[in-house]
Amino acid sequence: MIKTLEWKNNKLIIVDQTLLPGTIQYIVCNDYRRVNLAIKRLEVRGAPALGAAGAYALVLGLQELINSNKTIAANTLKNKLKLICNEIISTRPTAVNLSWAVELMQQTFIQELSFSNDFPKILAILEKKANSIFAQDIKQNKKIGRNGAAVIPPNAVILTHCNAGALATCGFGTALGVIRQAHFEQKVKMVYVDETRPLLQGARLTAWELQEEKIPVTLITDSMASWVMKTKKVDCIITGADRIAANGDTANKVGTYGLAVLAKQHGIPFYIAAPLNTFDFKLTTGTKIPIEERAPEEITFIADKQVAPLNIKVFNPAFDITPSKYITGIITEHGIIQKPYKQNIKALQTLLKEDV
Ligand code: MRU
C-alpha cells in the first residue's frame, strides 16, 4: 500500500496524487505554505488525509515561528500561530477533518502554553500529537473495515465513488477499507468504480489501489452507475464522507447524492464509511455544510486539452449532500450508526474527544 504522507526529519513528505497512477513522485514540504498549496492543488486530498496534513502543517508553522525568533513573546507566538491555523483551515472548506485536526492541535498548544514557555518542548508535544492523529487514523480505518465487512454478503458486487482508500487517509482507507477487509474475508466478487468526474479520483486512484491489491475491479463512467445497478446485481454501495451533520446528512464527492437516490430506487443498501472526526456535531443539518466550488478549467479541460467552448459558464461544486433518509448506515470505528440518526449520532459525540 502506498504511503499517502509521511513525517520524516521535520518535513512532511506527500505523494503527489495529481500524477497518479502514471508517476509516483513525492513532494517534500519543509514549510506550511507548501502543505497549503498541496491541499489546494489536491496533491494531497481525501478528508482524513487532509486532517493529518493540516496537523503537520501547523507543526511546520510553529517550527518556523520559533526558529525565526528565539526571543518571541508567548502572546505574539500564540497570535501568529492562530493566523497560520486560519490559513491552513481555509485551504479547503468542506472536509471537516481539516479544521477538526488543526483546532485540536491549536487547543493543545494553548493548553501547553499555560503550563510553560519552553517553546521547543511545546513543539515536540505538538509533533507527537500530529503523529498520534496520523496513527489513530490508520487504527480507526481498520476498525471501520472490520465493522463494515460484517454487512458485506458473500460473493458481493459493490459500487463505490471517488477515492476513500489508503490515498484519502493515512492508510487502509474508509470505504475502501471496508472493501479491502471484505476482500481479505474472500467476500468480494466485483467492485464497480465510478470514474468520478471532473478530476477522476475513481479512475486514477481507486481503480489503481484495487488493481494493485488484486481486488476484482471494473471501471465505469459516472453516468453508467444506474445501468450497473439495474443489470449487475449490485449488493451495496459504499462511499466515504467529507462532513456528516448531526442528523446524518452527508457531504461527499459530487455524484454521491445521485447514487444514493438511485440506490433507493433499485432497493440497494447505501452505506457511508467514515471516522467520528468526519462528524460535525455542531451542524444540525446538511444544508449548513459549506460546499467548495472549484475552477471551471477542471470541467472545460480534460488533461491539457480544452473540450468545452471558450468562456462557457461553468458550475463546479466539488461535493454534494446526501440526505440521511437515503443512507442505510454510517460505518464508523465504533460500529454502524442507523436511523434514527439524530439520536444515535448524538450518543457518539463524547467518544470523539477520547479518541486522540
Ligand atoms: O476532492 P477530494 O478528492 O478531496 O474528495 C474526496 C472525497 O470526496 C472522499 O470521498 C472523502 O474525502 C472521503 S475520504 C476517506
Side-chain angles (χ1 to χ4, degrees), residues 102-221:
V102 173
E103 280 161 15
L104 185 69
M105 295 286 290
Q106 202 186 355
Q107 278 162 21
T108 310
F109 169 77
I110 291 170
Q111 196 185 346
E112 292 302 325
L113 204 58
S114 71
F115 302 141
S116 115
N117 277 1
D118 183 343
F119 302 147
K121 186 176 155 210
I122 296 178
L123 179 63
I125 291 171
L126 286 187
E127 184 181 342
K128 226 171 133 192
K129 190 83 179 172
N131 287 338
S132 146
I133 289 173
F134 178 91
Q136 261 314 110
D137 184 57
I138 300 174
K139 273 194 201 156
Q140 285 159 352
N141 291 341
K142 291 190 174 161
K143 285 188 189 161
I144 289 172
R146 286 194 291 274
N147 291 339
V151 300
I152 306 291
N155 224 15
V157 176
I158 304 168
L159 193 149
T160 190
H161 188 67
C162 194
N163 173 267
L167 288 164
T169 61
C170 300
F172 204 72
T174 56
L176 278 203
V178 173
I179 292 171
R180 218 182 283 282
Q181 179 63 34
H183 173 71
F184 294 156
E185 297 174 17
Q186 298 182 334
K187 287 178 166 181
V188 178
K189 182 177 170 194
M190 183 54 67
V191 184
Y192 286 94
V193 175
D194 284 355
E195 63 172 353
T196 317
R197 276 284 285 152
L199 294 177
L200 303 174
Q201 287 92 332
R204 294 185 300 105
L205 308 175
T206 301
W208 182 63
E209 274 196 46
L210 293 174
Q211 197 179 52
E212 286 286 294
E213 303 235 351
K214 305 204 173 4
I215 300 175
V217 52
T218 302
L219 180 64
I220 58 171
T221 69

Side-chain angles (χ1 to χ4, degrees), residues 96 243-251 278-290 321-325 330 340-343 345-346 349:
V96 75
R243 192 184 295 232
I244 303 171
N247 68 346
D249 293 351
T250 295
T278 305
F279 287 75
D280 189 340
F281 297 98
K282 297 184 301 295
L283 290 192
T284 47
T285 85
T287 50
K288 297 184 179 159
I289 298 176
I321 294 157
T322 301
S324 59
K325 66 176 179 184
I330 305 175
Y341 283 114
K342 225 166 130 181
Q343 207 173 306
I345 288 174
K346 199 167 179 204
Q349 188 165 358

